[in-house]
Amino acid sequence: MAEDLTVIRSTDKKEQYKSLLPQIEGLLEGETDLVANLANICAALKEQFGWFWVGFYLVKDGQLILGPFQGPVACTRIAKGKGVCGAAWEQEKTLVVPDVDAFPGHIACSSLSRSEIVLPLFHNDAVVGVLDVDSEHLSHFDEIDALYLEQIVKLIRF
Ligand code: SME
């Protein structure tokens, strides 16, 4: 695997994702351990984008349980259908939330989080976890983030 990450200074997020995608592919290459790979994906995303919180929740025993992440401590368990993460799991689709206060049932792990994007992770057509990204800014995420983050999570081998 590549052992370091080149962070680019561009403010164009497409450029940032395009630089990151092959590097994440390189990080995952040859490593089969899921936790190691999820941890490096979080670190790479955090380094490039500096987001407030980025991390994974994994489905275990019928609920989402906190996995590798970067950022402040977070709630550890989320039920199906609860919060943005539980909703993305239940609806099996990416949810972009421009204002978390306007999302019914949003789980505030931190009062500093203002907007959020959550993507389900699929294995054998079932949701096995989610990628959750939080920002301290309103309307921080859009369809560009959804498009590229979907490509990143497709690289994960379960
Ligand atoms: N806000 C999320 C909970 C996870 S934390 O943001 C890290 C939600 O509503 O599901």
Side-chain angles (χ1 to χ4, degrees):
M1 70 161 239
E3 280 165 9
D4 48 21
L5 188 82
T6 302
V7 171
I8 62 160
R9 286 180 178 272
S10 170
T11 51
D12 177 340
K13 67 179 164 187
K14 273 191 199 166
E15 294 306 317
Q16 292 176 289
Y17 280 115
K18 280 184 194 161
S19 152
L20 209 50
L21 247 170
Q23 296 194 74
I24 289 180
E25 223 171 329
L27 283 170
L28 304 192
E29 214 169 62
E31 178 53 69
T32 55
D33 187 86
L34 180 62
V35 170
N37 286 335
L38 299 184
N40 264 340
I41 292 174
C42 293
L45 287 168
K46 176 80 171 174
E47 270 206 75
Q48 178 61 57
F49 291 102
W51 291 321
F52 178 68
W53 196 92
V54 50
F56 292 94
Y57 283 87
L58 297 172
V59 174
K60 280 183 202 161
D61 303 328
Q63 56 189 331
L64 287 170
I65 302 189
L66 184 63
F69 70 96
Q70 294 263 322
V73 293
C75 38
T76 54
R77 289 166 192 261
I78 299 175
K80 195 171 192 176
K82 299 291 178 195
V84 187
C85 292
W89 175 17
E90 189 171 61
Q91 294 170 33
E92 303 195 349
K93 65 174 192 192
T94 298
L95 296 179
V96 177
V97 179
D99 178 357
V100 295
D101 291 332
F103 188 94
H106 167 256
I107 300 164
C109 291
S110 164
S111 58
L112 294 175
S113 174
R114 309 288 302 281
S115 62
E116 183 162 355
I117 182 170
V118 180
L119 295 90
L121 313 174
F122 293 96
H123 179 57
N124 294 337
D125 292 330
V127 177
V128 292
V130 299
L131 170 64
D132 179 16
V133 189
D134 289 25
S135 169
E136 322 92 299
H137 308 290
L138 285 171
S139 303
H140 199 116
F141 306 105
D142 57 22
E143 65 288 346
I144 294 172
D145 300 284
L147 182 79
Y148 284 98
L149 289 173
E150 276 163 16
Q151 291 183 39
I152 289 171
V153 299
K154 273 189 198 146
L155 298 172
I156 302 166
R157 294 286 161 255
F158 292 94

